[in-house]
Amino acid sequence: MILLAVLFLCFISSYSASVKGHTTGLSLNNDRLYKLTYSSEVFLDRGKGNLQDSVGYRISSNVDVVLLWRSPDGDDNQLIQITMKDVNVENVNQQRGEKSIFKGKKSSQIIRKENLEAMQRPVLLHLVHGKIKEFYSYQNEPAAIENLKRGLASLFQMQLSSGTTNEADISGDCKVTYQAHQDKVTKIKALDSCKIERAGFTTPHQVLGVTSKATSVTTYKIEDSFVVAVLSEEIHALRLNFLQSIAGKIVSRQKLELKTTEASPGLKPGKQVAAIIKAVDSKYTAIPIVGQVFQSKCKGCPSLSEHWQSIRKHLQPDNLSKAEAVRSFLAFIKHLRMAKKEEILQILKAENKEVLPQLVDAVTSAQTPDSLDAILDFLDFKSAESVILQERFLYACAFASHPDEELLRALISKFKGSFGSNDIRESVMIIIGALVRKLCQNEGCKLKGVVEAKKLILAGLEKAGKKEDIMMYLLALKNARLPEGIPLLLKYTETGEGPISHLAATALQRYDVPFITDEVKKTMNRIYHQNRKIHEKTVRTTAAAIILKNNPSYMEVKNILLSIGELPKEMNKYMLSIVQDILRFEMPASKMVRQVLKEMVAHNYDRFSKSGSSSAYTGYVERTSHSASTYSLDILYSGSGILRRSNLNIFQYIEKMPLHGIQVVIEAQGLEALIAATPDEGEENLDSYAGLSALLFDVQLRPVTFFNGYSDLMSKMLSASSDPMSVVKGLLLLIDHSQELQLQSGLKANMDVQGGLAIDITGAMEFSLWYRESKTRVKNRVSVLITGDITVDSSFVKAGLEIGAETEAGLEFISTVQFSQYPFLVCLQMDKEDVPYRQFETKYERLSTGRGYVSRKRKESLIGGCEFPLHQENSDMCKVVFAPQPESSVYIFTCI
């Protein structure tokens, strides 16, 4: 009795896990011709799921399926013939009406006669245990038409039992999961597992990247081991991470339905399938079931030269502040990616010097072997006359969206050669560091070129003797952030002099938390507390910032708080502002700081009432549920009231992932002699110097010097020039995602997102002995354009969705100090101008013959300008001009 019960349970289990009848795959009756209807439709929208707002098309036909041969050795070895008939193409959106591009056109006119004939030629499918062993078709048929037939044939591959396996079909070699229940089978294909060769690349950084999701579910209804109905749905969705309005979705559906059966001619006799195929038609040949690549011909498209001539007026220097310049830049990059080296060189050699820098930006950003060869042939690094072009090339390399090893090798080769400008030599090494970082982030750390670049940076820093070379390699390491370079950075931070020590400390500051070990923090504590030697204020405050940012211990925080009151006057105020900013902005260290502040020895009036002008403040530019933009400004003055360092930072966060968008640091030292003031401790022997350092989108750029040395300072003061110096200027490609998809239906889809900007950052420092006033000014102007382009192409009809957003913005920071008296007067201003924001959407359907449908939408808005609080006592946006703040004895004002 127990045995019978066990057998009964096994039977029930087997029954629930498989379909009644056959136990492996579909099985056709020997003497029946199956007549089915088939449709494949696709539509595109912005992910809202409203069919009325979508574009797309439907391809439908009748289908005949017949069994030609079954192996005498087993029922599961079959050869079937599939024939499409009465093919038709129509709108997926039936409300198109008179605007339909298919209205009044026959299938032969839409598809073209030769394509239609190829589509209606039968294909053969060799199935073994329900899986495709071979796919047979005729040679030299158009790849796009063969793909449509592959898409239909792939629906006949399935198994009647539950389980997970790998299958090869039009999508590639994919992992699939079957769920069988009575007369229904569901097949779920993991599209991210499909192995298929398709072109594509993406921006690896999460903030500038995209999030994509793909699903594929096919449901079979089975009777007598054959399909009664098949419904397949494949969805691809894409969204830009930091601007979620740039989003789109492709929905592709296939439907196959049995209408009737008729008597068939019967099976072909034979034991070998090859002989059967030859008997049917000797012209049949086995071809891959995996979809093949094809390119639709572009009729009437301009040549590279013609396209350049049509857009070059938008790339004149005076037009770079407009979004149209970025639009032209992005469009030209697409053309450059299809161009040959000779075409690109011809345009480079023919262009004038005004537009040539923008052309260099575009050619470098194209990131193809031909564009790289062309630009390297064009630029002469031994010449000092083309420094601007060389610098624009290097900046474009630094911001490359998907750099490869060849680009890195090219820069290494250039670095080993000779230069007409030492500034360019330094820039090459700094950019090598940036490329190492990007390649390592993309799992390329073990590439030979990357390994060579690492050795070049580390060995160069270890052996460098000149101050300029040490600074150069430190900047490269600051970009590369090599873990193996930390010991060298610690050495230069603790034992280096002046700017070298400070630069090494700021390089350490860029490392992620896991790399700031106890050994690193011990060194930072020694530097901050000056256990071994006296350090400059800039180095000590940077060391403190590293400690407080990287999981500080209770004693580390307590010792820093206890030091406040024992530091130089302005450093006291600066460190107090840093602690207060941590608490106010709820930074990670705030919990530990609050614990320490429970002790009266650390938290008392004497310590927290220190006066001074130095400050630190962090605030939000914008904040949403999934993203945030923050700004921070910290200013450190010398005891005599002269600016020592101002540090402006803007970060963009997606969830918890940060992108360091902008950092502008202005530093000055050794200026006390001009006003007969006494330098602070440790800074008695510093040379007169002022300069500006910029970091843009996680890439440290070569610093700019305002003056270096007393004679240079006096020369520039007497010349009375306050013209701003350019820190970085150019067109940058920041977002670059391209994805080619093979849809299961046989159609080809492309999902592309590009984002570019025209940027101009300038900085100036003015110093007046007569008025006893110093002023620093940093101005950022950007034009931004982001576009998303989604298309589905069958070679004879194409549907597309283009979405985008553009803006022009400006941000200016000015700090003015009057040091004719103490407490000296400070004016801090940071203003954002009115920002025009434009969104657009274009949907289209277009036949290869030229007929098309286009729908355009556009929305414009103006985001009002605003000012940002730059000081903790100023967070209520006070409008006071040189009016003292009672608690801090610092005078602050913001402009409206």
Side-chain angles (χ1 to χ4, degrees):
M1 193 68 182
I2 295 174
L3 179 61
L4 287 173
V6 171
L7 290 172
F8 178 77
L9 289 172
C10 290
F11 173 76
I12 292 296
S13 175
S14 173
Y15 183 87
S16 65
S18 61
V19 178
K20 285 191 293 183
H22 214 267
T23 57
T24 52
L26 296 178
S27 180
L28 282 71
N29 287 334
N30 295 357
D31 57 354
R32 306 307 295 170
L33 169 66
Y34 298 84
K35 288 190 169 290
L36 306 98
T37 59
Y38 172 67
S39 67
S40 171
E41 65 182 27
V42 63
F43 60 88
L44 294 78
D45 65 14
R46 298 185 67 173
K48 299 176 181 177
N50 189 348
L51 183 63
Q52 309 309 320
D53 291 335
S54 66
V55 287
Y57 48 89
R58 179 185 294 114
I59 302 170
S60 59
S61 73
N62 293 318
V63 176
D64 288 353
V65 181
V66 64
L67 179 67
L68 296 181
W69 173 83
R70 191 190 303 277
S71 172
D73 299 328
D75 290 348
D76 282 336
N77 192 345
Q78 307 166 90
L79 181 69
I80 64 174
Q81 184 183 69
I82 305 170
T83 308
M84 298 178 72
K85 295 181 176 180
D86 309 319
V87 180
N88 186 40
V89 187
E90 59 187 340
N91 276 109
V92 71
N93 187 342
Q94 297 299 329
Q95 293 191 349
R96 195 76 75 225
E98 294 295 323
K99 296 180 180 180
S100 172
I101 61 174
F102 306 110
K103 186 175 178 62
K105 285 189 173 287
K106 297 179 180 179
S107 297
S108 57
Q109 295 173 301
I110 297 169
I111 303 175
R112 294 181 178 274
K113 184 179 178 181
E114 59 275 16
N115 287 343
L116 185 59
E117 290 174 353
M119 192 180 295
Q120 297 184 150
R121 291 191 197 108
V123 296
L124 306 182
L125 199 61
H126 185 194
L127 295 173
V128 178
H129 299 297
K131 304 301 171 71
I132 298 172
K133 185 173 183 181
E134 291 289 354
F135 175 69
Y136 297 91
S137 187
Y138 293 94
Q139 285 186 332
N140 301 322
E141 286 189 345
I145 301 302
E146 280 188 338
N147 281 350
L148 293 175
K149 295 195 284 187
R150 285 184 176 99
L152 170 60
S154 292
L155 292 178
F156 290 89
Q157 175 169 247
M158 58 91 68
Q159 68 184 43
L160 300 176
S161 58
S162 298
T164 299
T165 185
N166 272 65
E167 288 181 357
D169 64 6
I170 185 167
S171 304
D173 189 350
C174 310
K175 180 182 177 181
V176 294
T177 299
Y178 286 93
Q179 298 170 353
H181 183 71
Q182 295 186 353
D183 61 348
K184 179 181 174 183
V185 176
T186 301
K187 178 165 73 172
I188 302 170
K189 186 188 298 182
L191 291 172
D192 58 350
S193 71
C194 294
K195 297 175 182 176
I196 184 171
E197 290 187 11
R198 286 293 181 272
F201 45 80
T202 191
T203 304
H205 201 289
Q206 183 180 334
V207 175
L208 297 175
V210 303
T211 296
S212 59
K213 185 178 180 181
T215 60
S216 172
V217 179
T218 306
T219 304
Y220 295 84
K221 187 177 180 182
I222 308 296
E223 283 186 11
D224 297 328
S225 297
F226 192 69
V227 291
V228 176
V230 182
L231 179 62
S232 178
E233 183 175 77
E234 180 178 2
I235 299 175
H236 293 268
L238 175 142
R239 185 188 73 244
L240 184 62
N241 289 336
F242 85 92
L243 186 61
Q244 297 199 354
S245 62
I246 305 296
K249 183 170 73 172
I250 300 171
V251 179
S252 174
R253 295 191 181 120
Q254 292 171 275
K255 187 176 181 181
L256 188 64
E257 196 171 4
L258 178 64
K259 290 300 181 184
T260 185
T261 62
E262 297 178 1
S264 72
L267 300 182
K268 303 283 184 184
K271 292 186 177 182
Q272 300 296 326
V273 69
I276 304 300
I277 293 167
K278 189 173 182 181
V280 174
D281 192 334
S282 60
K283 293 181 181 178
Y284 274 119
T285 183
I287 62 173
I289 188 65
V290 177
Q292 301 299 296
V293 177
F294 72 90
Q295 294 292 339
S296 296
K297 294 181 180 179
C298 184
K299 292 185 178 180
C301 291
S303 66
L304 185 71
S305 178
E306 290 170 340
H307 185 257
W308 172 246
Q309 291 304 318
S310 69
I311 65 163
R312 66 182 301 277
K313 62 179 177 292
H314 300 301
L315 298 179
Q316 294 285 343
D318 293 341
N319 295 331
L320 290 184
S321 61
K322 300 175 183 176
E324 188 60 40
V326 187
R327 186 185 304 279
S328 300
F329 169 67
L330 295 179
F332 192 55
I333 286 174
K334 290 182 179 180
H335 274 70
L336 284 165
R337 286 177 170 167
M338 296 181 287
K340 298 297 182 185
K341 173 184 174 180
E342 292 73 19
E343 298 176 87
I344 300 171
L345 262 177
Q346 185 179 356
I347 295 174
L348 283 167
K349 291 177 178 178
E351 195 47 73
N352 63 45
K353 65 180 182 180
E354 288 186 345
V355 184
L356 198 50
Q358 289 74 261
L359 179 57
V360 169
D361 292 338
V363 171
T364 311
S365 299
Q367 300 173 74
T368 66
D370 283 278
S371 65
L372 179 59
D373 287 346
I375 196 68
L376 289 175
D377 279 7
F378 176 72
L379 295 175
D380 181 9
F381 283 82
K382 296 177 182 178
S383 170
E385 296 179 0
S386 59
V387 166
I388 292 176
L389 299 181
Q390 296 167 37
E391 195 166 59
R392 294 286 278 266
F393 161 72
L394 292 171
Y395 284 162
C397 290
F399 301 112
S401 54
H402 51 279
D404 58 15
E405 187 183 7
E406 290 307 310
L407 175 59
L408 179 60
R409 285 185 175 278
L411 292 188
I412 292 172
S413 175
K414 291 296 179 185
F415 182 76
K416 293 177 179 178
S418 56
F419 291 87
S421 166
N422 193 57
D423 286 350
I424 295 299
R425 176 178 176 270
E426 291 176 5
S427 291
V428 169
M429 176 48 63
I430 295 167
I431 303 312
I432 285 174
L435 292 179
V436 167
R437 175 70 178 172
K438 289 193 174 187
L439 288 167
C440 283
Q441 285 178 321
N442 211 21
E443 300 180 354
C445 248
K446 295 182 180 179
L447 294 170
K448 290 182 179 179
V450 176
V451 172
E452 183 182 355
K454 286 182 181 180
K455 290 179 179 177
L456 192 64
I457 294 170
L458 296 173
L461 182 56
E462 200 164 4
K463 297 175 182 177
K466 296 180 180 179
K467 176 184 174 182
E468 294 78 10
D469 286 344
I470 295 172
M471 300 281 279
M472 174 183 70
Y473 287 113
L474 283 173
L475 288 164
L477 188 53
K478 187 175 180 180
N479 271 335
R481 281 178 264 180
L482 303 175
E484 52 267 47
I486 289 177
L488 281 171
L489 292 176
L490 292 176
K491 168 191 164 186
Y492 280 108
T493 303
E494 192 164 21
T495 63
E497 296 296 329
I500 291 176
S501 177
H502 182 225
L503 178 56
T506 60
L508 279 169
Q509 199 173 12
R510 297 204 67 206
Y511 281 81
D512 295 330
V513 174
F515 298 106
I516 305 302
T517 61
D518 290 341
E519 182 62 33
V520 175
K521 288 205 280 185
K522 283 179 184 177
T523 306
M524 296 302 105
N525 276 290
R526 286 198 302 267
I527 292 169
Y528 177 74
H529 297 290
Q530 301 190 121
N531 297 135
R532 292 184 178 176
K533 61 174 285 190
I534 294 174
H535 294 274
E536 295 178 33
K537 291 194 300 292
T538 53
V539 181
R540 295 180 68 189
T541 52
T542 303
I546 293 171
I547 296 167
L548 293 171
K549 179 187 172 185
N550 294 276
N551 301 324
S553 67
Y554 187 91
M555 287 307 299
E556 285 172 337
V557 173
K558 183 176 180 179
N559 287 333
I560 288 175
L561 287 174
L562 291 176
S563 71
I564 298 174
E566 308 299 326
L567 305 170
K569 185 179 180 65
E570 284 299 326
M571 190 174 169
N572 269 328
K573 180 60 178 176
Y574 180 85
M575 289 306 302
L576 181 60
S577 296
I578 290 289
V579 171
Q580 290 171 334
D581 196 41
I582 289 172
L583 294 171
R584 185 190 55 80
F585 203 70
E586 294 290 339
M587 295 181 189
S590 60
K591 290 183 180 179
M592 186 62 73
V593 173
R594 283 193 169 89
Q595 286 185 31
V596 175
L597 289 177
K598 292 177 182 179
E599 293 191 36
M600 288 297 294
V601 67
H603 189 193
N604 54 62
Y605 179 80
D606 178 63
R607 203 174 305 284
F608 276 76
S609 62
K610 300 301 179 185
S611 63
S613 301
S614 300
S615 65
Y617 189 88
T618 303
Y620 285 104
V621 178
E622 185 182 19
R623 192 179 187 184
T624 67
S625 58
H626 86 288
S627 67
S629 298
T630 66
Y631 71 93
S632 65
L633 174 69
D634 59 84
I635 301 180
L636 176 64
Y637 291 100
S638 68
S640 56
I642 298 176
L643 177 72
R644 192 70 176 82
R645 181 187 65 204
S646 73
N647 184 1
L648 172 67
N649 292 276
I650 296 177
F651 280 87
Q652 175 71 43
Y653 291 88
I654 298 295
E655 295 176 353
K656 293 185 179 180
M657 178 62 68
L659 172 67
H660 202 164
I662 295 175
Q663 181 188 62
V664 181
V665 180
I666 295 180
E667 292 184 75
Q669 65 179 37
L671 304 181
E672 285 77 11
L674 295 175
I675 57 173
T678 303
D680 293 337
E681 182 186 27
E683 300 181 357
E684 296 87 354
N685 300 317
L686 294 179
D687 293 332
S688 299
Y689 166 84
L692 186 149
S693 173
L695 183 147
L696 188 62
F697 299 108
D698 263 341
V699 176
Q700 172 68 53
L701 305 178
R702 184 178 60 82
V704 174
T705 300
F706 295 140
F707 57 82
N708 193 2
Y710 187 79
S711 59
D712 189 23
L713 166 62
M714 296 308 298
S715 171
K716 287 177 177 168
M717 285 179 64
L718 292 172
S719 66
S721 174
S722 60
D723 293 336
M725 293 187 70
S726 177
V727 181
V728 59
K729 184 175 184 177
L731 292 155
L732 307 179
L733 177 65
L734 287 181
I735 301 167
D736 199 13
H737 175 89
S738 181
Q739 191 176 2
E740 185 176 319
L741 305 171
Q742 177 60 68
L743 299 184
Q744 185 173 288
S745 62
L747 299 172
K748 182 186 78 166
N750 288 83
M751 304 180 85
D752 299 326
V753 180
Q754 279 190 314
L757 77 161
I759 189 164
D760 186 4
I761 299 179
T762 58
M765 184 171 182
E766 303 168 38
F767 194 89
S768 172
L769 285 176
W770 182 261
Y771 293 104
R772 299 182 74 81
E773 179 182 278
S774 69
K775 179 180 287 188
T776 58
R777 183 188 303 264
V778 177
K779 189 169 185 177
N780 307 310
R781 285 211 57 84
V782 294
S783 300
V784 184
L785 173 69
I786 300 171
T787 62
D789 188 7
I790 302 173
T791 60
V792 177
D793 193 1
S794 66
S795 78
F796 50 85
V797 59
K798 186 176 185 178
L801 170 66
E802 297 175 3
I803 43 181
E806 63 184 31
T807 187
E808 297 109 17
L811 186 69
E812 186 171 20
F813 165 69
I814 304 171
S815 69
T816 305
V817 181
Q818 290 185 355
F819 46 86
S820 57
Q821 59 179 319
Y822 193 88
F824 37 85
L825 308 180
V826 181
C827 168
L828 305 179
Q829 300 167 243
M830 190 168 82
D831 304 319
K832 186 176 75 172
E833 301 172 358
D834 289 351
V835 178
Y837 183 65
R838 297 177 284 272
Q839 296 174 281
F840 53 87
E841 175 189 291
T842 302
K843 297 179 289 189
Y844 64 88
E845 297 161 352
R846 186 166 55 241
L847 295 174
S848 61
T849 55
R851 186 175 179 180
Y853 161 82
V854 181
S855 170
R856 292 186 175 90
K857 294 180 181 178
R858 186 179 177 92
K859 182 180 178 181
E860 296 190 24
S861 58
L862 185 68
I863 302 171
C866 65
E867 35 174 41
F868 301 95
L870 299 176
H871 196 279
Q872 293 177 38
E873 287 84 357
N874 192 38
S875 57
D876 60 348
M877 304 293 287
C878 60
K879 294 188 277 185
V880 181
V881 182
F882 291 122
Q885 302 291 311
E887 292 185 8
S888 64
S889 299
V890 59
Y891 298 73
I892 298 173
F893 123 98
T894 54
C895 295
I896 292 183

